[in-house]
Amino acid sequence: MPKMLSKVLKSLITKPATVRYPYVKPEPVPGTRGKITFDMKKCDLCQDCERVCPSLAIKIFPDEKRIEYSPFRCLYCHLCVESCMQMAIIPDVVVGAPAFEKVMDIFKTERR
Amino acid sequence: MNEGTVVNVNTVIPFGPQHPVLPEPVQLRFKFEGERIVDVVPNIGYVHRAVERACELNDYKRNVTLCERICGICNFMHAMAYCESIEMITDTEVPERAKYLRTIWSELGRLQSHLLWLGLFVDSIGFESLFMHLWRDREIVLRLNEKTAGHRIQLSTCTIGGVKKDMDDRLIAEYRSSLAELKKRMDNLAPVFVKDRGVQARLVGKGILPKNKTSLLGAVGPTVRGSGIPQDMRTLGYEAYSYLDFKPVVYDMEDAYSRMLVRIGEIYQSIDLINRALNQMPNGPILQKNTVFPRGTAITRIEQPRGELFYYVAGNGTNKLERCRIRTPTLANIPALVTMLVDHEVADIPPVLLSVDPCVACTER
């Protein structure tokens, strides 16, 4: 009983172990695997990322110089980030937010 | 039928596939005689995902990611077993440091799995506050996962020929301090399991699996170790276990209580193993790239938190595999579970069922 009482008193003083999620968002740990974006200035459309992607979330159209990335198919394994020779894939620490429609992220090269 | 005669009719109660006690899609049809269970018929196949077939259609390197996602809780060990089989066929020598890192991360997986299971187990016998304490402490392990690989559950660090991430001195120090903290917290919580009369009243003598029946029923893992049989695949000495002087935790009371004690013992043992591996870990490379396509067959057996995991891989010299057979521990434990449940009452179903630690997503692949 005394052991339990000390625990009860301790938990009265200490902060809760959980985070009040929708109101308070936890700080992402550096290096968290999240959404990716393509730096089209660096990308040479070699399709390495498309080849390694396990969930076929990346589609590259070299003729149109266009990349389609679906965050809803993505597993956040970051194999593409590791495979990119040009360092053109920029990883983010935030995972894609839920949405009503599964939209693609489209990246295009400006210079033709 | 004459008026006034009592006819003994068996009642059949379906348990699952959706049930508050077991959030996993498996159905058990219980046949009752009064309050007593006389027969159990398991029915699986609700979440079959054809992973084995997908392994044949995929590139063999992509399969690492696929196998890792067979099970959420023991994800690293699935990837490790697959990688080990491919390394065996292609004669890839894994660097020493990678072996130690794999051991550390698989033990970390075991820690979080056992803490999760202990929480769910005590919740099933109605001890909710202990469940919350355990899941709060499990967070320590998940934080370590997040700092290691950038994800709380899916480590995704295993690859063919070694591992992809390395640990620096700062992370190693953090591992040591976090595990010391976890051990301290477990020292507070473990006596509740061992000494509490309420827990004992619900578990002692429930779900008996006799020692002489275990091999007949093909049970594996902590389920048989709770019946006094020291069967543990880690004694085979895969990865760095051969250097770590490993001895399995065995209790011989043959009931649900004994299986719980095995898992509590394994939590302490995992913390010990990780600390020993961190001390002994040599410096050096972590990845040896393989350059040939797999040709031939290989069998790998490793110890998951739930028991023995079996991988059979056959390659034909192309980038696609001919066959990838996966047998998960829960599938092997289902016949034992069915025998355990007979002769119990309705209220004993949740603790006995959870005492084998069923992972149905794993089972159905």
Side-chain angles (χ1 to χ4, degrees), chain B residues 235-310:
Chain B
T235 46
L236 296 176
Y238 62 89
E239 303 304 344
Y241 285 108
S242 48
Y243 315 127
L244 293 175
D245 186 27
F246 169 78
K247 277 191 190 70
V249 181
V250 180
Y251 284 85
D252 55 359
M253 275 108 71
E254 304 178 346
D255 55 3
Y257 186 64
S258 165
R259 292 192 276 279
M260 185 192 73
L261 293 180
V262 169
R263 288 185 176 103
I264 292 173
E266 281 187 7
I267 287 177
Y268 283 108
Q269 191 188 41
S270 288
I271 295 174
D272 256 22
L273 282 172
I274 295 173
N275 278 329
R276 241 181 287 157
L278 286 173
N279 292 337
Q280 290 181 18
M281 190 162 62
N283 286 324
I286 54 165
L287 184 61
Q288 171 76 45
K289 280 206 170 171
N290 85 313
T291 44
V292 287
F293 287 140
R295 180 190 288 279
T297 58
I299 285 172
T300 313
R301 300 198 297 167
I302 68 162
E303 187 73 16
Q304 265 192 346
R306 289 161 187 76
E308 177 198 330
L309 174 70
F310 172 93

Side-chain angles (χ1 to χ4, degrees), chain A residues 31-33 51 53-54 79 82, chain B residues 62 149-151 154-156 164:
Chain A
T32 301
R33 304 199 301 263
R51 252 170 256 131
C53 183
L79 281 175
E82 286 157 23
Chain B
R62 249 185 219 177
H151 203 287
Q154 299 281 358
L155 276 172
S156 297
K164 286 191 284 188

